[in-house]
Amino acid sequence: MGNVLGIINLINEKPFLKELTQHRCMASVPFGGRYRLIDFTLSNFIHASITKVGVFTKEKYRSIMDHLGSGKEWDLDRRNGGLFILPPVHPDEKMKGDLEHFYDHLEFFQRSHEETVIISPGYHVSKMDFNDIMAKHKADQADITVVYKDYHGTSVEKPIYHTCTFDEEETVTDIELYTSPVPGEHVCLETFVISKKLLINLIINCVGNGEYDLIKDAVKANLHTLRVKAYHFTGEMPFIHSVESFHSGNMAFLNPEIIRSNFYDSWDLYTKVKHEAPVNYGLSSKTSNSLIANGCEIEGVVEDSILFRGVKVHPNAIVKNSIIMQRGEIGEGAYLENVIMDKQARITKDTVVMGGFHPKVIKKAEII
Amino acid sequence: MGNVLGIINLINEKPFLKELTQHRCMASVPFGGRYRLIDFTLSNFIHASITKVGVFTKEKYRSIMDHLGSGKEWDLDRRNGGLFILPPVHPDEKMKGDLEHFYDHLEFFQRSHEETVIISPGYHVSKMDFNDIMAKHKADQADITVVYKDYHGTSVEKPIYHTCTFDEEETVTDIELYTSPVPGEHVCLETFVISKKLLINLIINCVGNGEYDLIKDAVKANLHTLRVKAYHFTGEMPFIHSVESFHSGNMAFLNPEIIRSNFYDSWDLYTKVKHEAPVNYGLSSKTSNSLIANGCEIEGVVEDSILFRGVKVHPNAIVKNSIIMQRGEIGEGAYLENVIMDKQARITKDTVVMGGFHPKVIKKAEII
Amino acid sequence: MVNKKWIAMLLAGGQGSRLGELTHELAKPAVSFGGKYRIIDFALSNCTHSGIDTVGVLTQYQPHLLNAYVGKGSAWDLDRNNGGVSVLPPYQGKNGGHWYEGTANAVYQNIHYVDQYDPEYVLVISGDHIYKMDYTRLLQSHVAHGAHATIAVIQVPWHEANRFGIMNTDTTDKIVEFEEKPDQPKSNLASMGVYLFNWKILRKYLIQDEQNPVSSKDFGKDIIPKMLADGSSMYAYRFDDYWKDVGTIQSLWEAHMDLLGKNPAFSLNDQKWQIYAGNANHPPHYISPGAEVKQSLVNEGCIIYGQIDHSVLSYNVQVGAGTTIHDSVIMPNVTIGKNVTIERAIIANNAVIEDGAVIRPVKQSDDIILIGDRQKIFTHI
Amino acid sequence: MVNKKWIAMLLAGGQGSRLGELTHELAKPAVSFGGKYRIIDFALSNCTHSGIDTVGVLTQYQPHLLNAYVGKGSAWDLDRNNGGVSVLPPYQGKNGGHWYEGTANAVYQNIHYVDQYDPEYVLVISGDHIYKMDYTRLLQSHVAHGAHATIAVIQVPWHEANRFGIMNTDTTDKIVEFEEKPDQPKSNLASMGVYLFNWKILRKYLIQDEQNPVSSKDFGKDIIPKMLADGSSMYAYRFDDYWKDVGTIQSLWEAHMDLLGKNPAFSLNDQKWQIYAGNANHPPHYISPGAEVKQSLVNEGCIIYGQIDHSVLSYNVQVGAGTTIHDSVIMPNVTIGKNVTIERAIIANNAVIEDGAVIRPVKQSDDIILIGDRQKIFTHI
């Protein structure tokens, strides 16, 4: 594409994932045995040949800086374009909204040669074809294209999703902010296509008027003056808004068809390379319906689980329906069920940890 | 060397350079026609084969992030090691001192494989041979080596320098904080060699005792329990602590001998490559005793001055004893003397700007 | 792996023997140009600006410097994980090794390289021309015409047309005839050596041509005429900006003179189309009191005490006091002493010109003087 | 440019014809190993861990895949501005082109490459051994001895010593005699093909050897014996960890079996000495319900329905239900159907094994079975 600037907007992240986002932003949460949530959006950008990406960060972004590094793994270590991490400019003041942050970095937009901007959050687990979205945006001659998906998740208690309605020509007629959608409702994925020129104008005007919220003040408020079109995203995508939905969103990948469609079919998912050795299965290992990343050493039983890189399962340990993040270690004879274990945590010999409907979260580097 | 971790400590920068540091940290101030101050320390690290560098930033560090990018120009875009920018972890709280910031990033030190740490500020304009400093550190069997230089600058009004005294075996006996040195006094360059293990211990102990200042609480307070040795740096280095000394420090480079010793002699000074064309001298140009960077177009008169990349001097304009930073433009018939012009500023036709003993500073993008 | 819409194959194999001593130890595309660049920089920068991120550089003659210079490609933003720049030398397979025999054969031997990106189009360019060209326009024209091949052409003076490959076209720019260096040219549209092909079609012709025992395996002499003869849909794309083949000392010197002046025939200082160069880390240059520099391009790293007029100075050139340089090209790392006179000359890399030397043609109409690499000149020449 | 203390020259030119079909389309150092790696990864990773940041890879036979694989070197952190990894193929100079004739000739032809870094020492290694070695210890030993050359050696079983180049040393490990594959070995210290030279001295010998018309231009056969004959100070450096030449199908298979088990003879999962591999981006592997995997290494990208025992599976291998794999090596991108039996076999890249096929030696004592690249196996073999 070459003419599109990709923006990953981490400003509006909510603390849905509790302990998992205690020391990292949501975009940086590990997912799928080997990835961070942000890898999905970044990879989608790459597949659309977007070569300039700005990541607008708010807080707890050190792990995202570590993860992204020079951008080499995403081929974004470029002289022209490449990866830009844009931290808050006034860290000592409370940020009023994403538009304020965009305004503080207005030069970044102004100096970019790209004519079109795609804005997306950093936590969507999806394979989204931005070339197709762009094509519709052009064909529609839209000012803004709003990407939506029919809600299919379990019902949410708190009103956290924005839903949109549109007419038969897919012109967006309304956006309802902070709702609890029922299945089938059109959830706005906070993913937009917009010309850079219009975006800059909207940023300047809104901030000038003391308005700081992209979706509310720039998009919704202009539905009747701008040509705002909807794009229906029909691909796979779990709605992640709680520890439970994070767990089930991971577990959905325990399915060769889903694995194939997300990881193969010439749609590589890029992430940081760690040079771990192939998984070493011992004589007493027993693994079933699980996704196992490299560097693991398995001597116990692993069922219906996802093991990140470098996890050790000692003999007679049993891991069921759990997510074990990087360098976790399960001691001899331990029993885990319905658990999400953050990085570098360790379960000692013969310990039993069980979650119920709410998976039990074991914190980073915790020893139980 | 391979076994040394380089730390550039931007925490203790003072606002000496007024307008020039209004929107950037001191390490990021342009110098010498083409460089930023931090380039000198980074290049010194490279010449000592240091391949892992942490830059501890405090505020106004966006331009340093822009400048360093992926670290590619300094060959620091590495999987193992490379460049790490370490911003404040608690941006909403006032930082108590550099040791607090080191403490917040203790994992960075702990996870590094390197056994020795060199800590340096980001604003020294010097060619410093860290291999030689390391060799003395080893030969001395020192716990800490403190690099000092004999003061040679003009007298400073405010007490801003730390001076050290030592015995005949160069064992440091005292460090006097915040002094106004007279020529010949030993100014501590806030550049230290220390084992990583000892540094980690000092950080943990000091912070545990509510002490947060590296030179005061970790070095000075331990002069009698640790083996602290002095290293005499005898190379060229301007003391920069004001707009005047910044100006004169630049002007010292209008000397082929200084240029040769700083930029040649197989001691490349690395900086961001900008792909500017060679300088275009017009028919009416007259240049004398000046340092001119690529991308300039000169049709007027330039004397005793330093022109950064992409500066335009129109016909009949006169530039004397001035520093014109990147993309500055001097209109037809304008006259400049004793001026420091920040990036992208512009002097309109026939305008006269003169500084006196205090060079006049023209702000970034200002139009006069 | 993301497939590529188009990739470029850059022919950098030629010795460029008409450049004499300049190509003694390096391939023509590696010759210095414009005070800062090497000739190949122009084609590589054109690729980058045109959004082509995969470039195969076909090289055979003295490839080391070119190899080291291109390196991992970061100067041109071609250090990509998928694609980027690859230097492609000859190789040995199961049946032994083959040096590249002609331009078409060089691409033929690297069919597998092209195939791995499965591109729709392949751009074939050469590494020895000075020009700034947006290849995307060529591509647009190619697609609009539904062509099998599109050849970039430029109008040359009629009296020079017999030195070029000439395209005869109909009113829609469809090529009806191609004549290599015709005695009686019917048109003055010269091939610039820039070809865009549909890869599937080119691939077929390359394989076919390889089996022809009398073919010289060259794009201009064999592939293009054969495609035309077969009635392929081939179009000319007219380019009307600066383009120069710098294959001789004279033309290399002329191209340098074209860089000078207030509105030069060819400007290097174009912020929208920068020419990227490798190893571009040198300090600002220093102009001493008493020096005089006019109508000239001076690159970084120079230290100038003398007088420079209407000349191009590359990096790390030192010019002593009392020295005058006119209408000349000084390549990198040249040291020029005091009271030297240089006129209408090209001084190659690392030469040393001692105090008092005089380097100029006897008559103004004589050929440009060339001082070769690393030569040391003591006095008159 | 920062000069280099030492650089490495990695010999990757050989065809490795004893690996049969595995090297049909690629050079031996590019052969897959250990489920994730290529053989050359071990030498390159050793360089990285030893702090060597400049590696010239000498290549001649089928270099494309190796070229594309090494790329800009970022997997091994060898994508450096100054130095890094460079693939060095044969080239044409003023006097025409020369293929590499022997290992010494290959380095000789690249003297200028080495010279540009002006190193004190040059490490010559080959790209076809499996080992983890800290070359800095070799260097320390070399410096401590004040040697002109140091040769890494390993003790081999006495009955195999006649298959190696054998060093006879005195009590200080000074080499007093070198015998290539001696009938009656006097020692069991075999050369590992890892040489450290003082560059100035090696340079002299390379030039001298080149002028010897009867020389085979090989390090082991010509350079080392000549240096010894001249009384150069040459020492053996004893290496006592795992080292394996994987030059035959049998030894390649054995080396894979050495990776298996709780405390394998050679461990790949060593956090302090990771083996780096290029193109290592694959999803985690999936083990289905009903699958059984024991005593095996399984790499990313696999989807396993069958039973795997004491085997090594590379990336993107698919194994159908009811299939059993024992004592075998499955290389990348192999598709194995249902109810297949594979025993004591190496299945090369991209092979397809159809449902119900049986691949195993007739007798347990028979040779390991090799299924070549891209082969399609329908039934018994």
Side-chain angles (χ1 to χ4, degrees), chain A residues 32-35 72 75 77 253-257 259-260 263-264 268-271 273-297 299 304 307 309 312 314-315 327, chain D residues 34-37 72 74-77 79-80 259 261-262 264 268-271 274-278 280-303 305 309 313 316 318:
Chain A
R34 179 165 192 276
Y35 307 95
K72 206 178 259 190
D75 221 357
D77 56 330
F253 277 79
L254 294 181
N255 176 334
E257 289 318 307
I259 295 172
R260 258 187 255 266
F263 297 132
Y264 299 90
D268 280 336
L269 188 50
Y270 299 95
T271 190
V273 168
K274 298 212 170 162
H275 294 293
E276 300 282 356
V279 176
N280 194 346
Y281 287 94
L283 192 56
S284 56
S285 77
K286 177 84 192 87
T287 306
S288 165
N289 192 39
S290 295
L291 213 47
I292 316 284
N294 268 3
C296 290
E297 295 185 4
E299 298 181 279
D304 309 321
L307 270 54
R309 292 188 270 203
K312 280 193 184 149
H314 289 279
R327 305 235 154 272
Chain D
K36 169 164 179 168
Y37 312 94
K72 53 186 172 131
S74 55
W76 307 270
D77 228 356
D79 51 337
R80 305 273 55 84
L259 305 172
K262 195 162 166 55
L268 294 169
N269 197 6
D270 180 346
Q271 289 300 315
Q274 285 190 322
I275 308 303
Y276 305 124
N281 191 38
H282 306 284
H285 63 250
Y286 175 73
I287 310 285
S288 82
E292 216 180 283
V293 186
K294 287 186 193 303
Q295 302 189 88
S296 294
L297 290 184
V298 179
N299 195 17
E300 294 170 325
C302 293
I303 297 186
Y305 288 90
D309 185 33
L313 269 61
N316 298 347
Q318 308 206 16

Side-chain angles (χ1 to χ4, degrees), chain A residues 14-161:
Chain A
K14 305 285 183 304
F16 294 147
L17 299 187
K18 297 181 179 148
E19 296 95 334
L20 296 175
T21 47
Q22 192 175 325
H23 58 280
R24 55 167 86 89
C25 56
M26 185 150 166
S28 185
V29 169
F31 188 92
R34 179 165 192 276
Y35 307 95
R36 305 267 184 166
L37 289 173
I38 199 172
D39 291 337
F40 289 85
T41 302
L42 266 180
S43 298
N44 290 338
F45 280 175
I46 290 169
H47 283 282
S49 302
I50 293 174
T51 55
K52 181 166 186 175
V53 176
V55 180
F56 283 80
T57 64
K58 188 174 168 193
E59 54 183 7
K60 298 188 253 188
Y61 56 90
R62 185 157 52 116
S63 78
I64 213 99
M65 281 177 75
D66 268 6
H67 180 65
L68 299 179
S70 66
K72 206 178 259 190
E73 265 95 355
W74 299 267
D75 221 357
L76 289 173
D77 56 330
R78 295 174 183 257
R79 282 179 198 276
N80 300 307
L83 181 69
F84 296 81
I85 297 196
L86 300 153
V89 172
H90 309 291
D92 37 344
E93 294 165 28
K94 192 171 149 55
M95 196 183 289
K96 299 195 189 86
D98 46 10
L99 287 181
E100 185 194 28
H101 193 12
F102 289 3
Y103 183 80
D104 288 339
H105 288 286
L106 205 58
E107 218 182 314
F108 173 75
F109 292 101
Q110 287 163 336
R111 284 201 303 203
S112 294
H113 301 297
E114 290 75 10
E115 285 170 20
T116 305
V117 183
I118 292 178
I119 304 174
S120 170
Y123 50 77
H124 286 330
V125 175
S126 71
K127 194 169 116 179
M128 202 176 272
D129 183 349
F130 284 117
N131 278 331
D132 193 52
I133 299 175
M134 284 290 303
K136 181 169 188 294
H137 179 76
K138 262 189 200 153
D140 280 348
Q141 298 185 292
D143 290 315
I144 302 177
T145 294
V146 173
V147 180
Y148 73 93
K149 178 168 176 57
D150 297 342
Y151 191 72
H152 62 70
T154 50
S155 62
V156 279
E157 288 161 30
K158 290 185 191 161
I160 52 173
Y161 285 109

Side-chain angles (χ1 to χ4, degrees), chain C residues 12-87:
Chain C
Q15 177 167 358
S17 47
R18 287 180 302 156
L19 286 177
E21 301 222 40
L22 288 178
T23 51
H24 194 76
E25 288 190 348
L26 42 78
K28 183 170 154 192
V31 168
S32 294
F33 187 85
K36 170 163 178 169
Y37 312 95
R38 295 182 189 270
I39 296 173
I40 195 176
D41 287 336
F42 293 85
L44 286 175
S45 299
N46 287 342
C47 286
T48 303
H49 287 297
S50 302
I52 298 175
D53 68 0
T54 304
V55 182
V57 177
L58 298 155
T59 173
Q60 171 152 271
Y61 173 77
Q62 294 281 22
H64 308 105
L65 199 149
L66 203 56
N67 235 321
Y69 181 70
V70 169
K72 55 187 170 127
S74 56
W76 306 271
D77 229 356
L78 290 170
D79 50 337
R80 304 274 56 84
N81 292 337
N82 177 19
V85 63
S86 305
V87 175

